[in-house]
PDB file of all heavy atoms in Angstrom:
ATOM      1  N   LYS A   1      35.558 -39.655 -56.703  1.00  0.00           N
ATOM      2  CA  LYS A   1      36.260 -40.907 -56.840  1.00  0.00           C
ATOM      3  C   LYS A   1      35.560 -41.775 -57.842  1.00  0.00           C
ATOM      4  O   LYS A   1      34.346 -42.031 -57.743  1.00  0.00           O
ATOM      5  CB  LYS A   1      36.387 -41.684 -55.580  1.00  0.00           C
ATOM      6  CG  LYS A   1      37.162 -42.942 -55.674  1.00  0.00           C
ATOM      7  CD  LYS A   1      37.380 -43.651 -54.407  1.00  0.00           C
ATOM      8  CE  LYS A   1      38.134 -44.990 -54.627  1.00  0.00           C
ATOM      9  NZ  LYS A   1      38.275 -45.815 -53.404  1.00  0.00           N
ATOM     10  N   VAL A   2      36.375 -42.215 -58.860  1.00  0.00           N
ATOM     11  CA  VAL A   2      35.854 -43.123 -59.875  1.00  0.00           C
ATOM     12  C   VAL A   2      36.593 -44.415 -59.864  1.00  0.00           C
ATOM     13  O   VAL A   2      37.775 -44.527 -60.025  1.00  0.00           O
ATOM     14  CB  VAL A   2      36.124 -42.465 -61.368  1.00  0.00           C
ATOM     15  CG1 VAL A   2      35.448 -43.350 -62.444  1.00  0.00           C
ATOM     16  CG2 VAL A   2      35.441 -41.045 -61.336  1.00  0.00           C
ATOM     17  N   GLY A   3      35.806 -45.440 -59.531  1.00  0.00           N
ATOM     18  CA  GLY A   3      36.402 -46.855 -59.390  1.00  0.00           C
ATOM     19  C   GLY A   3      36.906 -47.406 -60.677  1.00  0.00           C
ATOM     20  O   GLY A   3      36.540 -47.052 -61.771  1.00  0.00           O
ATOM     21  N   ARG A   4      37.649 -48.410 -60.540  1.00  0.00           N
ATOM     22  CA  ARG A   4      38.381 -49.149 -61.538  1.00  0.00           C
ATOM     23  C   ARG A   4      37.402 -49.505 -62.670  1.00  0.00           C
ATOM     24  O   ARG A   4      36.313 -50.061 -62.403  1.00  0.00           O
ATOM     25  CB  ARG A   4      38.993 -50.405 -60.978  1.00  0.00           C
ATOM     26  CG  ARG A   4      39.701 -51.255 -62.084  1.00  0.00           C
ATOM     27  CD  ARG A   4      40.257 -52.606 -61.331  1.00  0.00           C
ATOM     28  NE  ARG A   4      41.067 -53.361 -62.288  1.00  0.00           N
ATOM     29  CZ  ARG A   4      42.411 -53.200 -62.422  1.00  0.00           C
ATOM     30  NH1 ARG A   4      43.076 -52.398 -61.744  1.00  0.00           N
ATOM     31  NH2 ARG A   4      43.049 -54.037 -63.200  1.00  0.00           N
ATOM     32  N   GLY A   5      37.767 -49.259 -63.908  1.00  0.00           N
ATOM     33  CA  GLY A   5      37.040 -49.658 -65.042  1.00  0.00           C
ATOM     34  C   GLY A   5      35.746 -49.013 -65.365  1.00  0.00           C
ATOM     35  O   GLY A   5      35.059 -49.254 -66.294  1.00  0.00           O
ATOM     36  N   ALA A   6      35.384 -47.954 -64.561  1.00  0.00           N
ATOM     37  CA  ALA A   6      34.158 -47.199 -64.805  1.00  0.00           C
ATOM     38  C   ALA A   6      34.216 -46.366 -66.018  1.00  0.00           C
ATOM     39  O   ALA A   6      35.353 -45.979 -66.500  1.00  0.00           O
ATOM     40  CB  ALA A   6      33.834 -46.308 -63.596  1.00  0.00           C
ATOM     41  N   HIS A   7      33.112 -45.998 -66.650  1.00  0.00           N
ATOM     42  CA  HIS A   7      33.075 -45.269 -67.838  1.00  0.00           C
ATOM     43  C   HIS A   7      32.087 -44.076 -67.567  1.00  0.00           C
ATOM     44  O   HIS A   7      30.872 -44.282 -67.282  1.00  0.00           O
ATOM     45  CB  HIS A   7      32.460 -46.058 -69.047  1.00  0.00           C
ATOM     46  CG  HIS A   7      32.537 -45.327 -70.261  1.00  0.00           C
ATOM     47  ND1 HIS A   7      32.817 -46.020 -71.499  1.00  0.00           N
ATOM     48  CD2 HIS A   7      32.448 -43.999 -70.653  1.00  0.00           C
ATOM     49  CE1 HIS A   7      32.794 -45.117 -72.476  1.00  0.00           C
ATOM     50  NE2 HIS A   7      32.596 -43.953 -72.003  1.00  0.00           N
ATOM     51  N   VAL A   8      32.587 -42.894 -67.608  1.00  0.00           N
ATOM     52  CA  VAL A   8      31.761 -41.649 -67.482  1.00  0.00           C
ATOM     53  C   VAL A   8      31.472 -41.091 -68.882  1.00  0.00           C
ATOM     54  O   VAL A   8      32.360 -40.693 -69.655  1.00  0.00           O
ATOM     55  CB  VAL A   8      32.488 -40.639 -66.656  1.00  0.00           C
ATOM     56  CG1 VAL A   8      31.613 -39.332 -66.472  1.00  0.00           C
ATOM     57  CG2 VAL A   8      32.744 -41.227 -65.253  1.00  0.00           C
ATOM     58  N   GLY A   9      30.144 -41.083 -69.275  1.00  0.00           N
ATOM     59  CA  GLY A   9      29.798 -40.750 -70.676  1.00  0.00           C
ATOM     60  C   GLY A   9      29.955 -39.261 -71.037  1.00  0.00           C
ATOM     61  O   GLY A   9      30.210 -38.357 -70.230  1.00  0.00           O
ATOM     62  N   ALA A  10      30.001 -38.971 -72.280  1.00  0.00           N
ATOM     63  CA  ALA A  10      30.164 -37.648 -72.800  1.00  0.00           C
ATOM     64  C   ALA A  10      29.220 -36.672 -72.195  1.00  0.00           C
ATOM     65  O   ALA A  10      28.009 -36.881 -72.038  1.00  0.00           O
ATOM     66  CB  ALA A  10      29.890 -37.710 -74.338  1.00  0.00           C
ATOM     67  N   GLY A  11      29.700 -35.594 -71.734  1.00  0.00           N
ATOM     68  CA  GLY A  11      28.962 -34.457 -71.161  1.00  0.00           C
ATOM     69  C   GLY A  11      28.303 -34.708 -69.741  1.00  0.00           C
ATOM     70  O   GLY A  11      27.646 -33.834 -69.272  1.00  0.00           O
ATOM     71  N   ALA A  12      28.671 -35.777 -69.166  1.00  0.00           N
ATOM     72  CA  ALA A  12      28.202 -36.117 -67.850  1.00  0.00           C
ATOM     73  C   ALA A  12      28.833 -35.156 -66.837  1.00  0.00           C
ATOM     74  O   ALA A  12      29.936 -34.734 -67.028  1.00  0.00           O
ATOM     75  CB  ALA A  12      28.367 -37.582 -67.443  1.00  0.00           C
ATOM     76  N   VAL A  13      28.149 -34.891 -65.714  1.00  0.00           N
ATOM     77  CA  VAL A  13      28.637 -34.056 -64.562  1.00  0.00           C
ATOM     78  C   VAL A  13      28.488 -34.808 -63.327  1.00  0.00           C
ATOM     79  O   VAL A  13      27.427 -35.360 -63.028  1.00  0.00           O
ATOM     80  CB  VAL A  13      27.800 -32.705 -64.530  1.00  0.00           C
ATOM     81  CG1 VAL A  13      28.410 -31.916 -63.330  1.00  0.00           C
ATOM     82  CG2 VAL A  13      27.932 -31.905 -65.840  1.00  0.00           C
ATOM     83  N   ILE A  14      29.637 -34.923 -62.610  1.00  0.00           N
ATOM     84  CA  ILE A  14      29.647 -35.684 -61.415  1.00  0.00           C
ATOM     85  C   ILE A  14      29.834 -34.612 -60.263  1.00  0.00           C
ATOM     86  O   ILE A  14      30.828 -33.954 -60.274  1.00  0.00           O
ATOM     87  CB  ILE A  14      30.779 -36.764 -61.263  1.00  0.00           C
ATOM     88  CG1 ILE A  14      30.838 -37.561 -62.603  1.00  0.00           C
ATOM     89  CG2 ILE A  14      30.623 -37.609 -60.077  1.00  0.00           C
ATOM     90  CD1 ILE A  14      29.664 -38.348 -62.955  1.00  0.00           C
ATOM     91  N   LEU A  15      28.898 -34.435 -59.394  1.00  0.00           N
ATOM     92  CA  LEU A  15      28.943 -33.432 -58.329  1.00  0.00           C
ATOM     93  C   LEU A  15      30.081 -33.685 -57.338  1.00  0.00           C
ATOM     94  O   LEU A  15      30.464 -34.796 -57.232  1.00  0.00           O
ATOM     95  CB  LEU A  15      27.583 -33.287 -57.706  1.00  0.00           C
ATOM     96  CG  LEU A  15      26.447 -32.707 -58.638  1.00  0.00           C
ATOM     97  CD1 LEU A  15      25.244 -32.353 -57.826  1.00  0.00           C
ATOM     98  CD2 LEU A  15      26.950 -31.483 -59.402  1.00  0.00           C
ATOM     99  N   PRO A  16      30.475 -32.711 -56.563  1.00  0.00           N
ATOM    100  CA  PRO A  16      31.611 -32.916 -55.673  1.00  0.00           C
ATOM    101  C   PRO A  16      31.393 -34.001 -54.684  1.00  0.00           C
ATOM    102  O   PRO A  16      30.314 -34.169 -54.141  1.00  0.00           O
ATOM    103  CB  PRO A  16      31.670 -31.459 -54.908  1.00  0.00           C
ATOM    104  CG  PRO A  16      31.044 -30.538 -55.874  1.00  0.00           C
ATOM    105  CD  PRO A  16      29.968 -31.323 -56.502  1.00  0.00           C
ATOM    106  N   GLY A  17      32.525 -34.753 -54.411  1.00  0.00           N
ATOM    107  CA  GLY A  17      32.565 -35.771 -53.360  1.00  0.00           C
ATOM    108  C   GLY A  17      31.871 -37.003 -53.657  1.00  0.00           C
ATOM    109  O   GLY A  17      31.863 -37.990 -52.887  1.00  0.00           O
ATOM    110  N   ILE A  18      31.317 -37.162 -54.891  1.00  0.00           N
ATOM    111  CA  ILE A  18      30.571 -38.408 -55.213  1.00  0.00           C
ATOM    112  C   ILE A  18      31.508 -39.544 -55.614  1.00  0.00           C
ATOM    113  O   ILE A  18      32.618 -39.285 -56.176  1.00  0.00           O
ATOM    114  CB  ILE A  18      29.718 -38.132 -56.471  1.00  0.00           C
ATOM    115  CG1 ILE A  18      28.612 -37.066 -56.129  1.00  0.00           C
ATOM    116  CG2 ILE A  18      28.952 -39.419 -56.957  1.00  0.00           C
ATOM    117  CD1 ILE A  18      27.576 -37.472 -55.048  1.00  0.00           C
ATOM    118  N   THR A  19      31.168 -40.755 -55.282  1.00  0.00           N
ATOM    119  CA  THR A  19      31.880 -41.990 -55.667  1.00  0.00           C
ATOM    120  C   THR A  19      31.266 -42.757 -56.728  1.00  0.00           C
ATOM    121  O   THR A  19      29.904 -42.982 -56.559  1.00  0.00           O
ATOM    122  CB  THR A  19      32.086 -42.900 -54.440  1.00  0.00           C
ATOM    123  OG1 THR A  19      32.939 -42.168 -53.428  1.00  0.00           O
ATOM    124  CG2 THR A  19      32.791 -44.169 -54.855  1.00  0.00           C
ATOM    125  N   ILE A  20      31.849 -43.003 -57.713  1.00  0.00           N
ATOM    126  CA  ILE A  20      31.331 -43.913 -58.824  1.00  0.00           C
ATOM    127  C   ILE A  20      32.012 -45.294 -58.668  1.00  0.00           C
ATOM    128  O   ILE A  20      33.327 -45.418 -58.645  1.00  0.00           O
ATOM    129  CB  ILE A  20      31.741 -43.359 -60.295  1.00  0.00           C
ATOM    130  CG1 ILE A  20      31.287 -41.881 -60.364  1.00  0.00           C
ATOM    131  CG2 ILE A  20      31.201 -44.198 -61.339  1.00  0.00           C
ATOM    132  CD1 ILE A  20      29.855 -41.583 -60.326  1.00  0.00           C
ATOM    133  N   GLY A  21      31.216 -46.338 -58.469  1.00  0.00           N
ATOM    134  CA  GLY A  21      31.736 -47.657 -58.241  1.00  0.00           C
ATOM    135  C   GLY A  21      32.455 -48.276 -59.391  1.00  0.00           C
ATOM    136  O   GLY A  21      32.341 -47.868 -60.571  1.00  0.00           O
ATOM    137  N   GLU A  22      33.267 -49.379 -59.151  1.00  0.00           N
ATOM    138  CA  GLU A  22      33.992 -50.098 -60.152  1.00  0.00           C
ATOM    139  C   GLU A  22      33.126 -50.571 -61.267  1.00  0.00           C
ATOM    140  O   GLU A  22      31.938 -51.085 -60.982  1.00  0.00           O
ATOM    141  CB  GLU A  22      34.758 -51.244 -59.493  1.00  0.00           C
ATOM    142  CG  GLU A  22      35.832 -50.883 -58.540  1.00  0.00           C
ATOM    143  CD  GLU A  22      36.661 -51.973 -58.130  1.00  0.00           C
ATOM    144  OE1 GLU A  22      36.355 -53.159 -58.452  1.00  0.00           O
ATOM    145  OE2 GLU A  22      37.644 -51.737 -57.338  1.00  0.00           O
ATOM    146  N   TRP A  23      33.505 -50.422 -62.454  1.00  0.00           N
ATOM    147  CA  TRP A  23      32.839 -50.924 -63.699  1.00  0.00           C
ATOM    148  C   TRP A  23      31.438 -50.370 -63.854  1.00  0.00           C
ATOM    149  O   TRP A  23      30.626 -50.827 -64.601  1.00  0.00           O
ATOM    150  CB  TRP A  23      32.852 -52.448 -63.679  1.00  0.00           C
ATOM    151  CG  TRP A  23      34.283 -52.952 -63.615  1.00  0.00           C
ATOM    152  CD1 TRP A  23      34.954 -53.535 -62.627  1.00  0.00           C
ATOM    153  CD2 TRP A  23      35.267 -52.929 -64.767  1.00  0.00           C
ATOM    154  NE1 TRP A  23      36.198 -53.883 -62.927  1.00  0.00           N
ATOM    155  CE2 TRP A  23      36.510 -53.473 -64.242  1.00  0.00           C
ATOM    156  CE3 TRP A  23      35.140 -52.419 -66.123  1.00  0.00           C
ATOM    157  CZ2 TRP A  23      37.528 -53.668 -65.042  1.00  0.00           C
ATOM    158  CZ3 TRP A  23      36.414 -52.594 -66.810  1.00  0.00           C
ATOM    159  CH2 TRP A  23      37.540 -53.172 -66.337  1.00  0.00           C
ATOM    160  N   ALA A  24      31.117 -49.237 -63.235  1.00  0.00           N
ATOM    161  CA  ALA A  24      29.879 -48.556 -63.394  1.00  0.00           C
ATOM    162  C   ALA A  24      29.930 -47.842 -64.682  1.00  0.00           C
ATOM    163  O   ALA A  24      30.982 -47.489 -65.170  1.00  0.00           O
ATOM    164  CB  ALA A  24      29.518 -47.726 -62.231  1.00  0.00           C
ATOM    165  N   VAL A  25      28.758 -47.463 -65.262  1.00  0.00           N
ATOM    166  CA  VAL A  25      28.645 -46.718 -66.482  1.00  0.00           C
ATOM    167  C   VAL A  25      27.714 -45.534 -66.144  1.00  0.00           C
ATOM    168  O   VAL A  25      26.581 -45.699 -65.759  1.00  0.00           O
ATOM    169  CB  VAL A  25      28.102 -47.455 -67.688  1.00  0.00           C
ATOM    170  CG1 VAL A  25      27.827 -46.648 -68.929  1.00  0.00           C
ATOM    171  CG2 VAL A  25      28.988 -48.632 -67.994  1.00  0.00           C
ATOM    172  N   VAL A  26      28.220 -44.291 -66.445  1.00  0.00           N
ATOM    173  CA  VAL A  26      27.414 -43.136 -66.274  1.00  0.00           C
ATOM    174  C   VAL A  26      27.080 -42.668 -67.718  1.00  0.00           C
ATOM    175  O   VAL A  26      27.930 -42.384 -68.512  1.00  0.00           O
ATOM    176  CB  VAL A  26      28.168 -42.021 -65.568  1.00  0.00           C
ATOM    177  CG1 VAL A  26      27.404 -40.719 -65.564  1.00  0.00           C
ATOM    178  CG2 VAL A  26      28.506 -42.437 -64.172  1.00  0.00           C
ATOM    179  N   GLY A  27      25.736 -42.681 -67.959  1.00  0.00           N
ATOM    180  CA  GLY A  27      25.302 -42.299 -69.319  1.00  0.00           C
ATOM    181  C   GLY A  27      25.642 -40.845 -69.765  1.00  0.00           C
ATOM    182  O   GLY A  27      25.862 -39.944 -68.871  1.00  0.00           O
ATOM    183  N   ALA A  28      25.679 -40.600 -71.033  1.00  0.00           N
ATOM    184  CA  ALA A  28      25.975 -39.323 -71.608  1.00  0.00           C
ATOM    185  C   ALA A  28      24.994 -38.259 -71.057  1.00  0.00           C
ATOM    186  O   ALA A  28      23.893 -38.562 -71.037  1.00  0.00           O
ATOM    187  CB  ALA A  28      26.042 -39.351 -73.133  1.00  0.00           C
ATOM    188  N   GLY A  29      25.502 -37.154 -70.693  1.00  0.00           N
ATOM    189  CA  GLY A  29      24.653 -36.013 -70.191  1.00  0.00           C
ATOM    190  C   GLY A  29      24.097 -36.235 -68.858  1.00  0.00           C
ATOM    191  O   GLY A  29      23.344 -35.338 -68.397  1.00  0.00           O
ATOM    192  N   ALA A  30      24.382 -37.305 -68.166  1.00  0.00           N
ATOM    193  CA  ALA A  30      23.807 -37.572 -66.813  1.00  0.00           C
ATOM    194  C   ALA A  30      24.426 -36.514 -65.858  1.00  0.00           C
ATOM    195  O   ALA A  30      25.587 -36.013 -66.001  1.00  0.00           O
ATOM    196  CB  ALA A  30      24.162 -38.894 -66.331  1.00  0.00           C
ATOM    197  N   VAL A  31      23.593 -36.141 -64.767  1.00  0.00           N
ATOM    198  CA  VAL A  31      24.111 -35.292 -63.682  1.00  0.00           C
ATOM    199  C   VAL A  31      24.018 -36.243 -62.409  1.00  0.00           C
ATOM    200  O   VAL A  31      22.935 -36.574 -61.954  1.00  0.00           O
ATOM    201  CB  VAL A  31      23.207 -34.026 -63.534  1.00  0.00           C
ATOM    202  CG1 VAL A  31      23.601 -33.235 -62.398  1.00  0.00           C
ATOM    203  CG2 VAL A  31      23.269 -33.279 -64.763  1.00  0.00           C
ATOM    204  N   VAL A  32      25.190 -36.508 -61.908  1.00  0.00           N
ATOM    205  CA  VAL A  32      25.241 -37.586 -60.803  1.00  0.00           C
ATOM    206  C   VAL A  32      25.326 -36.860 -59.565  1.00  0.00           C
ATOM    207  O   VAL A  32      26.308 -36.079 -59.189  1.00  0.00           O
ATOM    208  CB  VAL A  32      26.423 -38.440 -61.015  1.00  0.00           C
ATOM    209  CG1 VAL A  32      26.521 -39.465 -59.882  1.00  0.00           C
ATOM    210  CG2 VAL A  32      26.399 -39.229 -62.344  1.00  0.00           C
ATOM    211  N   THR A  33      24.219 -36.994 -58.692  1.00  0.00           N
ATOM    212  CA  THR A  33      24.157 -36.266 -57.437  1.00  0.00           C
ATOM    213  C   THR A  33      24.327 -37.238 -56.267  1.00  0.00           C
ATOM    214  O   THR A  33      24.337 -36.763 -55.031  1.00  0.00           O
ATOM    215  CB  THR A  33      22.799 -35.524 -57.263  1.00  0.00           C
ATOM    216  OG1 THR A  33      21.730 -36.608 -57.361  1.00  0.00           O
ATOM    217  CG2 THR A  33      22.585 -34.594 -58.520  1.00  0.00           C
ATOM    218  N   LYS A  34      24.326 -38.523 -56.453  1.00  0.00           N
ATOM    219  CA  LYS A  34      24.391 -39.534 -55.369  1.00  0.00           C
ATOM    220  C   LYS A  34      25.427 -40.597 -55.778  1.00  0.00           C
ATOM    221  O   LYS A  34      25.701 -40.853 -57.048  1.00  0.00           O
ATOM    222  CB  LYS A  34      23.104 -40.237 -55.237  1.00  0.00           C
ATOM    223  CG  LYS A  34      22.003 -39.290 -54.669  1.00  0.00           C
ATOM    224  CD  LYS A  34      20.702 -40.025 -54.462  1.00  0.00           C
ATOM    225  CE  LYS A  34      19.552 -39.069 -54.003  1.00  0.00           C
ATOM    226  NZ  LYS A  34      18.253 -39.807 -53.931  1.00  0.00           N
ATOM    227  N   PRO A  35      25.975 -41.311 -54.871  1.00  0.00           N
ATOM    228  CA  PRO A  35      26.908 -42.380 -55.142  1.00  0.00           C
ATOM    229  C   PRO A  35      26.356 -43.361 -56.158  1.00  0.00           C
ATOM    230  O   PRO A  35      25.180 -43.683 -56.077  1.00  0.00           O
ATOM    231  CB  PRO A  35      27.249 -43.027 -53.815  1.00  0.00           C
ATOM    232  CG  PRO A  35      27.024 -41.904 -52.780  1.00  0.00           C
ATOM    233  CD  PRO A  35      25.884 -41.125 -53.383  1.00  0.00           C
ATOM    234  N   VAL A  36      27.229 -43.835 -56.982  1.00  0.00           N
ATOM    235  CA  VAL A  36      26.783 -44.901 -58.014  1.00  0.00           C
ATOM    236  C   VAL A  36      27.419 -46.272 -57.617  1.00  0.00           C
ATOM    237  O   VAL A  36      28.591 -46.366 -57.504  1.00  0.00           O
ATOM    238  CB  VAL A  36      27.295 -44.452 -59.396  1.00  0.00           C
ATOM    239  CG1 VAL A  36      26.906 -45.535 -60.500  1.00  0.00           C
ATOM    240  CG2 VAL A  36      26.601 -43.179 -59.794  1.00  0.00           C
ATOM    241  N   PRO A  37      26.525 -47.270 -57.381  1.00  0.00           N
ATOM    242  CA  PRO A  37      27.189 -48.582 -56.983  1.00  0.00           C
ATOM    243  C   PRO A  37      27.990 -49.147 -58.073  1.00  0.00           C
ATOM    244  O   PRO A  37      27.728 -48.907 -59.306  1.00  0.00           O
ATOM    245  CB  PRO A  37      25.875 -49.347 -56.741  1.00  0.00           C
ATOM    246  CG  PRO A  37      24.753 -48.432 -56.503  1.00  0.00           C
ATOM    247  CD  PRO A  37      25.096 -47.276 -57.343  1.00  0.00           C
ATOM    248  N   ALA A  38      28.874 -50.121 -57.704  1.00  0.00           N
ATOM    249  CA  ALA A  38      29.629 -50.826 -58.709  1.00  0.00           C
ATOM    250  C   ALA A  38      28.772 -51.644 -59.690  1.00  0.00           C
ATOM    251  O   ALA A  38      27.617 -51.970 -59.316  1.00  0.00           O
ATOM    252  CB  ALA A  38      30.635 -51.787 -57.986  1.00  0.00           C
ATOM    253  N   GLU A  39      29.221 -51.762 -60.909  1.00  0.00           N
ATOM    254  CA  GLU A  39      28.581 -52.629 -61.926  1.00  0.00           C
ATOM    255  C   GLU A  39      27.116 -52.086 -62.277  1.00  0.00           C
ATOM    256  O   GLU A  39      26.338 -52.974 -62.706  1.00  0.00           O
ATOM    257  CB  GLU A  39      28.526 -54.057 -61.438  1.00  0.00           C
ATOM    258  CG  GLU A  39      29.924 -54.648 -61.101  1.00  0.00           C
ATOM    259  CD  GLU A  39      30.586 -55.193 -62.350  1.00  0.00           C
ATOM    260  OE1 GLU A  39      30.113 -55.179 -63.438  1.00  0.00           O
ATOM    261  OE2 GLU A  39      31.799 -55.590 -62.237  1.00  0.00           O
ATOM    262  N   THR A  40      26.823 -50.852 -62.094  1.00  0.00           N
ATOM    263  CA  THR A  40      25.447 -50.419 -62.506  1.00  0.00           C
ATOM    264  C   THR A  40      25.613 -49.411 -63.554  1.00  0.00           C
ATOM    265  O   THR A  40      26.699 -48.833 -63.862  1.00  0.00           O
ATOM    266  CB  THR A  40      24.761 -49.715 -61.295  1.00  0.00           C
ATOM    267  OG1 THR A  40      25.459 -48.626 -60.804  1.00  0.00           O
ATOM    268  CG2 THR A  40      24.501 -50.740 -60.150  1.00  0.00           C
ATOM    269  N   VAL A  41      24.441 -49.090 -64.163  1.00  0.00           N
ATOM    270  CA  VAL A  41      24.319 -48.105 -65.162  1.00  0.00           C
ATOM    271  C   VAL A  41      23.393 -46.982 -64.757  1.00  0.00           C
ATOM    272  O   VAL A  41      22.308 -47.330 -64.209  1.00  0.00           O
ATOM    273  CB  VAL A  41      23.797 -48.643 -66.548  1.00  0.00           C
ATOM    274  CG1 VAL A  41      23.614 -47.515 -67.602  1.00  0.00           C
ATOM    275  CG2 VAL A  41      24.727 -49.748 -67.094  1.00  0.00           C
TER     276      VAL A  41
END
């Protein structure tokens, strides 16, 4: 689940079932293994 306004950077991988909070930014090439709070990078 990717919240409103979030940006997932180029080449990033979000593992199954993870939530990305509203207006969060996932950097290019990141591997996201845990939930990302809203408004964070």
Side-chain angles (χ1 to χ4, degrees):
K1 181 178 179 184
V2 183
R4 181 184 183 91
H7 187 149
V8 177
V13 176
I14 317 299
L15 295 188
I18 298 294
T19 296
I20 308 297
E22 293 187 356
W23 302 104
V25 175
V26 176
V31 177
V32 180
T33 61
K34 296 179 181 177
V36 176
E39 303 275 355
T40 58
V41 177

